[in-house]
């Protein structure tokens, strides 16, 4: 009897015909106002507030405020007597207009000594990946493409952090949000352009 009595008690939230509307939680006052309006005009709608991305996070940037390199921001601080110099290997290699902060991209870059090409992909800001490439070239890390290239092809060149930029002609070839799509695009471009610095051909593509 107790089980049957419990099953017979159904609140309005258990109505199978009730629609569910999910909204991002921003603040308690705003959530209260929205709930009151929805109950007044649409009593059959159930509101659910989630703690995911807020509207402020979704509306990340205005087109009137383009992204800029953190190095440029640091330069502005230096003019006011604050901060230390900041290096951006991607901008030094030729990227323009804030491209160094873009994510989920397939990019290319060339050796400044022999113009040999390299194609890669990253989900992080491009400038972070370029900084890793620079460290590999400086350390002559043979398990990395640029480390092996400078170790075997240019052993006479000293890669230092002060006055030598090992890369040039850097640019973004495409953007893909998902890893499989980026890997596929990277492998396709590697097959087309045959870059000499790459250690492998990326994902194996069908003939």
């Amino acid at each position: 009897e107790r089980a049957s009595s419990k099953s017979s008690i159904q609140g309005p939230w258990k109505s199978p015909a009730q629609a569910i509307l999910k909204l991002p939680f921003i603040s308690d006052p705003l959530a209260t106002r929205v709930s009151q309006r929805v109950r007044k005009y649409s009593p059959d709608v159930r509101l659910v507030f989630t703690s995911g991305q807020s509207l402020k996070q979704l509306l990340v940037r205005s087109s009137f405020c383009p992204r800029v390199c953190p190095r440029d921001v640091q330069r502005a601080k230096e003019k006011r007597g604050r901060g230390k110099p900041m290096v951006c290997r991607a901008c030094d290699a030729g990227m323009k207009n804030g491209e160094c902060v873009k994510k989920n991209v397939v990019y290319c870059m060339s050796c400044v000594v022999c113009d040999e090409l390299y194609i890669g992909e990253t989900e992080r800001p491009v400038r972070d990946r370029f900084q890793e490439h620079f460290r590999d070239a400086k350390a002559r890390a043979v398990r990395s493409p640029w480390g092996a290239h400078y170790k075997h092809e240019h052993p006479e060149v000293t890669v230092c952090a002060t006055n030598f930029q090992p890369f040039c002609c850097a640019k973004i070839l495409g953007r893909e949000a998902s890893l499989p799509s980026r890997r596929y695009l990277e492998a396709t471009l590697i097959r087309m352009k045959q870059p000499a610095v790459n250690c492998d051909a990326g994902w194996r593509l069908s003939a």
Side-chain angles (χ1 to χ4, degrees):
E1 293 181 358
R2 182 176 300 177
S4 61
S5 61
K6 282 187 177 181
S7 61
S8 62
I9 300 176
Q10 291 186 352
W13 58 87
K14 290 187 178 181
S15 173
Q18 195 175 41
I20 298 177
L21 176 62
K22 291 186 178 181
L23 295 175
F25 177 82
I26 298 177
S27 65
D28 287 319
L30 183 58
T32 301
R33 290 174 57 189
V34 172
S35 299
Q36 291 173 348
R37 292 295 181 90
V38 171
R39 283 197 298 267
K40 180 178 180 180
Y41 295 104
S42 302
D44 294 333
V45 176
R46 176 191 171 195
L47 272 181
V48 176
F49 292 97
T50 63
S51 59
Q53 285 186 314
S54 65
L55 290 177
K56 182 178 179 180
Q57 292 171 323
L58 293 173
L59 303 176
V60 175
R61 188 169 302 276
S62 169
S63 59
F64 297 103
C65 300
R67 292 182 176 183
V68 296
C69 174
R71 182 179 63 177
D72 295 336
V73 177
Q74 192 66 21
R75 283 176 177 172
K77 292 182 179 180
E78 290 176 33
K79 291 181 180 179
R80 298 193 297 267
R82 296 184 298 173
K84 298 180 181 180
M86 182 179 291
V87 176
C88 179
R89 300 296 175 189
C91 288
D92 290 342
M95 288 198 173
K96 305 293 183 182
N97 302 323
E99 288 184 333
C100 68
V101 297
K102 290 184 177 180
K103 303 178 180 180
N104 300 317
V105 302
V106 177
Y107 61 91
C108 70
M109 56 206 296
S110 298
C111 175
V112 74
V113 180
C114 64
D115 291 330
E116 293 290 1
L117 183 66
Y118 172 82
I119 294 176
E121 63 85 19
T122 181
E123 66 176 355
R124 298 172 296 154
V126 184
R127 65 188 313 272
D128 295 346
R129 190 69 182 107
F130 271 58
Q131 183 62 33
E132 292 176 350
H133 287 316
F134 181 87
R135 288 199 298 264
D136 292 338
K138 182 180 179 181
R140 301 294 204 273
V142 294
R143 293 187 177 181
S144 67
W146 284 108
H149 180 76
Y150 269 88
K151 179 179 178 62
H152 300 304
E153 303 298 330
H154 311 298
E156 74 286 353
V157 176
T158 300
V159 180
C160 59
T162 54
N163 58 0
F164 183 76
Q165 167 61 31
F167 319 123
C168 66
C169 304
K171 60 182 178 180
I172 292 176
L173 302 176
R175 299 187 70 179
E176 294 290 347
S178 67
L179 176 60
S181 298
R182 284 198 313 277
R183 290 284 180 86
Y184 182 83
L185 177 59
E186 178 194 34
T188 302
L189 292 171
I190 289 175
R191 173 179 288 189
M192 291 172 53
K193 297 180 179 294
Q194 298 293 315
V197 180
N198 287 69
C199 295
D200 56 58
W203 270 16
R204 181 176 296 179
L205 302 176
S206 58

